Amino acid sequence: MIDLLNARLADTIDLKLAVKQAHWNIKGPSFIAIHELLDQVSARVEEHYDTIAERCVQLGGTAFGTVQAVAKATSLSPYPTTATSQTTHVRQIADHLGAVAAACRAAVDQSDEAGDAVTADIFTGIARALDKDHWFIGAHLE
């Protein structure tokens, strides 16, 4: 469970940094709406990784949340720091949210198979919240 939690910790920290990258650099006709939405998403993602890290430590492990550890462990594709258009940022964040949500759904199954209902419940809640944020962000691609 500790390895699984650290893997998702790396992904959620990477996701938070990607969201902030978009938040700081987005431009376009829906700037303020997306800018403010990204701030809200960022705050929720921070809560997710805090919960994951705390569960890791509760189980007797060490939470690896340094930039160096995250860079080595993340499963996300690198965020394009050259992105400038609103559409590119929104698509990238939607893709990142979708990838982390899928990884958390898989973690639900892995936690269940290991007999850890509490960790499975944590990942269920995170996946649900990420799916909702994915929907909110994706609506800007319509």
Side-chain angles (χ1 to χ4, degrees):
M1 284 296 88
I2 293 166
D3 289 341
L4 177 63
L5 287 158
N6 269 306
R8 298 298 68 85
L9 178 61
D11 288 348
T12 52
I13 292 172
D14 191 6
L15 175 61
K16 160 87 176 196
L17 294 172
V19 170
K20 291 308 285 188
Q21 180 70 22
H23 169 80
W24 295 321
N25 292 290
I26 198 162
K27 296 175 183 142
S30 299
F31 165 77
I32 196 64
I34 298 172
H35 182 79
E36 289 176 354
L37 176 57
L38 290 171
D39 239 0
Q40 295 166 13
V41 170
S42 173
R44 285 189 288 272
V45 171
E46 187 171 334
E47 289 177 22
H48 302 326
Y49 70 67
D50 193 54
T51 300
I52 292 168
E54 288 172 353
R55 180 65 179 162
C56 183
V57 174
Q58 289 168 356
L59 293 177
T62 300
F64 298 111
T66 66
V67 171
Q68 297 80 9
V70 170
K72 287 181 185 176
T74 186
S75 68
L76 298 180
S77 59
Y79 194 88
T81 56
T82 58
T84 57
S85 78
Q86 177 176 300
T87 301
T88 301
H89 283 296
V90 170
R91 188 172 318 286
Q92 284 293 316
I93 295 303
D95 289 350
H96 278 59
L97 282 163
V100 177
C104 285
R105 284 191 296 278
V108 170
D109 295 338
Q110 293 169 295
S111 300
D112 275 339
E113 290 169 10
D116 187 344
V118 173
T119 300
D121 185 59
I122 288 169
F123 282 126
T124 298
I126 292 170
R128 181 184 312 113
L130 290 172
D131 281 342
K132 188 173 183 180
D133 283 333
H134 183 256
W135 174 52
F136 285 164
I137 294 291
H140 291 275
L141 293 171
E142 296 295 321

